[in-house]
Amino acid sequence: MKKEIQDIISYKKHRPWEMPNRHWFWYQEWNDVLFLHYQIQEKDLRKLVPDFLELDSFEGSYFVSVVAFTMNQIHIRNTFPIGYFSNFHEVNLRTYVKNKNKPGVYFLSIEAEKLIPTVMAKLLSGLPYEHSKIERSPNFYYLNGKRSQIKIDFTVRNKNENLKGIDLWLTERYCLYKDNSKNQIPLEVHHKPWDLYHCELKNLEIKYQKFNEYLDFNHPSLYHYSPGVKVIAWNQN
């Protein structure tokens, strides 16, 4: 594991800024990831994001993304993963923001499969976690929760060898902002660049009770699949 983490740390030419000058705190893997990206009107997005965060846009277009994946091997530095607590399915709804000219993501919702890890993640990270029923197989996601109902059936195709600016803008994000105007320091993360694959959506049924009025979740503007990335993360200062 030490060699693997050193390999992650040493690969940093793609980063938009330097890594924090202190020890990382968390290790985790984001595996079997499906990204669904949706354009949204600026005026609608502004209602959903705290005022201290600047909305980030790509060539004047604003986006919200559904990201469905499996968290694996989560553990704190100098400890080891524990099966039940370190591995679970997750679906988040995120958008793209900046603060002091540092681009990152802001989570509108995070839903996770297991109750105790969900409670712990919410307490330790300060991010908007909610426990939900999530089932998945390699090409299928099912979620039934208080915030959303999701069914996704898809097939992975060939690797995208010609990534465009929008692909990188939506995925290569290295900090997370919380809804806390008194502490605006982001949570920093680091990983190697995403490998992205084309995929075919065979069935897509998504409803978010709080956000349906702003988006048609059944018609994404763009979507990707990735086998995943290995991630180190830092606590806030």
Side-chain angles (χ1 to χ4, degrees):
M1 180 63 75
K2 288 183 178 179
K3 184 178 180 181
E4 189 171 61
I5 290 175
Q6 187 56 46
D7 184 48
I8 298 169
I9 292 173
S10 63
Y11 195 103
K12 54 188 178 181
K13 62 183 179 181
H14 62 300
R15 282 188 61 87
W17 59 83
E18 293 293 324
M19 286 187 285
N21 187 25
R22 61 187 190 277
H23 288 310
W24 59 271
F25 188 76
W26 292 97
Y27 174 87
Q28 51 197 268
E29 296 176 8
W30 305 338
N31 290 324
D32 294 317
V33 187
L34 182 65
F35 296 94
L36 306 172
H37 307 291
Y38 304 83
Q39 279 192 247
I40 185 171
Q41 293 293 319
E42 179 184 8
K43 62 181 178 60
D44 293 332
L45 185 58
R46 185 69 273 176
K47 299 173 187 176
L48 305 176
V49 175
D51 290 340
F52 73 89
L53 293 173
E54 178 186 349
L55 302 182
D56 199 3
S57 66
F58 181 82
E59 296 180 351
S61 295
Y62 298 84
F63 288 85
V64 168
S65 301
V66 174
V67 185
F69 62 107
T70 299
M71 289 274 251
N72 292 117
Q73 305 297 313
I74 303 171
H75 62 277
I76 295 172
R77 184 185 178 91
N78 296 325
T79 66
F80 53 88
I82 302 173
Y84 174 84
F85 297 98
S86 299
N87 306 284
F88 53 86
H89 307 315
E90 180 175 315
V91 178
N92 65 56
L93 183 67
R94 73 186 198 184
T95 190
Y96 305 91
V97 298
K98 292 189 290 187
N99 190 19
K100 299 176 182 176
N101 211 34
K102 181 179 281 190
V105 301
Y106 172 77
F107 292 105
L108 301 170
S109 173
I110 304 176
E111 295 172 271
E113 170 203 9
K114 295 177 180 177
L115 178 58
I116 296 176
T118 300
V119 172
M120 291 175 61
K122 187 170 186 174
L123 288 173
L124 293 171
S125 70
L127 296 172
Y129 273 88
E130 174 78 31
H131 175 242
S132 294
K133 179 181 178 182
I134 303 177
E135 299 175 5
R136 69 156 302 178
S137 64
N139 297 312
F140 180 78
Y141 289 91
Y142 169 80
L143 184 154
N144 186 17
K146 295 177 182 178
R147 297 177 180 175
S148 68
Q149 291 77 46
I150 296 174
K151 291 182 182 180
I152 309 172
D153 189 3
F154 67 101
T155 299
V156 179
R157 299 301 187 191
N158 58 305
K159 186 176 180 180
N160 188 343
E161 301 286 2
N162 186 27
L163 295 177
K164 299 178 181 177
I166 184 65
D167 303 318
L168 299 173
W169 185 88
L170 287 164
T171 56
E172 298 299 332
R173 297 271 162 165
Y174 293 94
C175 69
L176 322 173
Y177 288 99
K178 298 192 292 186
D179 189 359
N180 187 345
S181 60
K182 294 181 180 179
N183 184 358
Q184 299 180 19
I185 300 172
L187 297 170
E188 299 263 1
V189 302
H190 176 68
H191 54 76
K192 291 184 178 182
W194 290 93
D195 288 329
L196 299 178
Y197 287 70
H198 300 289
C199 59
E200 176 187 351
L201 299 177
K202 294 185 173 182
N203 182 53
L204 185 61
E205 301 175 33
I206 300 179
K207 294 181 181 179
Y208 273 93
Q209 281 77 5
K210 189 175 178 180
F211 308 109
N212 271 5
E213 63 180 294
Y214 305 113
L215 294 160
D216 179 358
F217 285 101
N218 295 328
H219 294 91
S221 306
L222 184 68
Y223 41 91
H224 307 102
Y225 169 83
S226 177
V229 289
K230 296 175 173 61
V231 182
I232 54 173
W234 290 262
N235 270 5
Q236 290 175 304
N237 287 330

